Amino acid sequence: MDVQIEASWKAVLQQEFTKNYFQQIVAHLKTEKATKTIIYPSGSLIFNAFKQTPFNQVKVVILGQDPYHGIGQAMGLSFSVPNGVSNPPSLQNIFKELQTDIGMPIPSSGNLTAWAKQGVLLLNAVLTVRANEAASHSKIGWTNFTDAVIQKLSDEKIHLVFLLWGKFAQEKQILIDETKHSVLKAAHPSPLSAYNGFFGCKHFSRTNEILVKNGVEPINWSF
């Protein structure tokens, strides 16, 4: 199957596209689209995280769960929304922590493409969702694919920083070789849990400290 994904990722993940689980994902999406089911993000944005952050440019991984399921929100980058779309509560809390941590003014736009272009892989564990149905595609096979992505990054790169926010993301820690990479954990930025350890985690300044220590250009979190 010729999956339309950025070339460096295609080379790294080529074997995944031939596996049964991936064929089942494709079949599932085709079946739903045939019944006029609305799926987010649009087809051209499903692999947007990979397009914006090629494999050889990844420095940091921020793992989300599944795409936003409201109209116009999902853009294939975890936690990010397009320009002109109101910032969801979790993203607003991310910006609050950035303001406290590094003094960044809270931006009006929640479009995080500027981070992605600097090497921050904004990866959702599940890459699609039915409109208005959170986690509706959580069991169609995407986690097999994104687990493989995390494993490839861990195996083939060094000095990455993984930001794991919340229990779901932290379950992926087992895939990461911590003798080669750094893992920072905190509560999820959701309003339900942000006060249980996300606020005050200082993950953004700590990430840059780790990158600089390893001779890697730090991220400019401000935009």
Side-chain angles (χ1 to χ4, degrees):
M1 159 168 276
D2 184 24
V3 176
Q4 300 303 305
I5 193 171
E6 191 275 333
S8 66
W9 280 107
K10 190 170 189 175
V12 168
L13 297 170
Q14 190 63 55
Q15 288 186 330
E16 298 303 310
F17 303 133
T18 65
K19 292 181 179 178
N20 286 338
Y21 81 81
F22 198 87
Q23 306 302 319
Q24 290 168 6
I25 293 172
V26 173
H28 188 100
L29 296 178
K30 285 181 176 178
T31 298
E32 290 202 356
K33 287 181 178 179
T35 61
K36 308 297 185 186
T37 300
I38 298 173
I39 296 171
Y40 297 135
S42 61
S44 63
L45 293 176
I46 290 174
F47 295 110
N48 193 30
F50 303 90
K51 176 183 177 183
Q52 302 298 337
T53 314
F55 183 78
N56 61 355
Q57 294 178 21
V58 178
K59 303 176 183 179
V60 179
V61 180
I62 298 180
L63 186 65
Q65 193 156 348
D66 67 339
Y68 296 123
H69 54 81
I71 187 168
Q73 292 180 308
M75 59 181 294
L77 304 176
S78 61
F79 296 104
S80 182
V81 291
N83 294 329
V85 175
S86 297
N87 295 340
S90 291
L91 181 56
Q92 196 68 14
N93 284 340
I94 289 170
F95 288 155
K96 286 178 182 177
E97 176 59 22
L98 271 160
Q99 185 178 50
T100 302
D101 186 8
I102 66 169
M104 184 185 101
I106 293 179
S108 57
S109 173
N111 188 334
L112 305 180
T113 301
W115 293 0
K117 289 187 175 297
Q118 295 180 72
V120 181
L121 181 66
L122 297 165
L123 180 66
N124 278 318
V126 176
L127 299 188
T128 58
V129 67
R130 286 197 296 270
N132 304 314
E133 294 183 51
S136 48
H137 285 174
S138 62
K139 293 182 170 60
I140 70 170
W142 279 125
T143 52
N144 299 82
F145 177 72
T146 52
D147 282 0
V149 169
I150 296 168
Q151 192 79 65
K152 286 287 187 182
L153 288 167
S154 178
D155 290 349
E156 299 188 21
K157 295 181 73 71
I158 58 170
H159 300 325
L160 298 182
V161 182
F162 290 84
L163 305 186
L164 304 182
W165 298 334
K167 182 175 181 292
F168 179 86
Q170 290 163 16
E171 288 174 352
K172 307 298 183 183
Q173 187 173 1
I174 193 172
L175 302 170
I176 302 164
D177 182 350
E178 294 183 64
T179 67
K180 299 165 57 182
H181 307 288
S182 299
V183 173
L184 299 180
K185 297 188 292 183
H188 194 277
S190 160
L192 298 175
S193 56
Y195 287 96
N196 293 328
F198 179 76
F199 289 139
C201 70
K202 299 187 181 298
H203 277 188
F204 305 99
S205 59
R206 290 174 64 191
T207 292
N208 279 349
E209 288 168 4
I210 293 166
L211 293 176
V212 170
K213 178 183 175 184
N214 289 322
V216 180
E217 186 78 19
I219 304 299
N220 178 7
W221 298 107
S222 301
F223 59 90

